[in-house]
Amino acid sequence: VIQRDQALQTYGLKHPAIVGLEARIQRWQAYLETGMIGSSGLSNMRLPPEELADVPKTPGTLAEALDALEADHQFLLRGDVFTQDVIDTWLWYKRTNEVDALRLRPHPYEFCLYYDI
């Protein structure tokens, strides 16, 4: 994990004057580090192809991610962090306002495919 000073120096900032800059950098740093761990984790493993086929894959769409969360969310209930009602409401909201909203409208690429001259 990169230390705070190193993260700031990476962006050419040795003395940040803006409050919250460090938090923004740490958030992006965590996002990038998570992606690097995910991408390098499997490539650095030397698993035989039959074992590699059993490694779970990340969801490809928001709908698949919500289905996976609905199937396995017990870790969120531990320690009374979230209640079942909060998780159900959040899943309903995301499906109604994001997944269904996109599914009901044509994608811009469809316009390009069918209506472009």
Side-chain angles (χ1 to χ4, degrees):
V1 176
I2 299 174
Q3 297 298 321
R4 177 183 63 87
D5 294 336
Q6 293 171 333
L8 294 173
Q9 288 173 6
T10 301
Y11 292 93
L13 305 169
K14 295 185 180 177
H15 302 289
I18 302 172
V19 175
L21 178 63
E22 180 181 339
R24 287 195 299 268
I25 290 174
Q26 287 179 353
R27 189 176 326 134
W28 278 103
Q29 176 185 347
Y31 175 74
L32 294 173
E33 287 177 358
T34 303
M36 290 171 59
I37 290 168
S39 64
S40 68
L42 288 179
S43 63
N44 289 337
M45 292 181 158
R46 303 293 182 229
L47 293 177
E50 59 274 0
E51 287 183 34
L52 192 57
D54 294 334
V55 174
K57 308 295 185 273
T58 57
T61 64
L62 177 59
E64 290 175 5
L66 293 173
D67 291 341
L69 179 62
E70 187 174 33
D72 181 24
H73 62 268
Q74 296 303 317
F75 65 97
L76 294 173
L77 300 174
R78 277 188 250 136
D80 296 328
V81 176
F82 294 102
T83 63
Q84 185 65 44
D85 184 48
V86 169
I87 295 170
D88 291 340
T89 303
W90 190 80
L91 289 168
W92 168 83
Y93 177 84
K94 295 297 261 184
R95 285 187 176 126
T96 303
N97 294 310
E98 295 181 21
V99 174
D100 291 344
L102 282 176
R103 192 181 347 214
L104 295 173
R105 290 166 178 80
H107 190 276
Y109 186 63
E110 290 179 294
F111 284 106
C112 185
L113 283 175
Y114 304 121
Y115 298 111
D116 197 19
I117 297 177

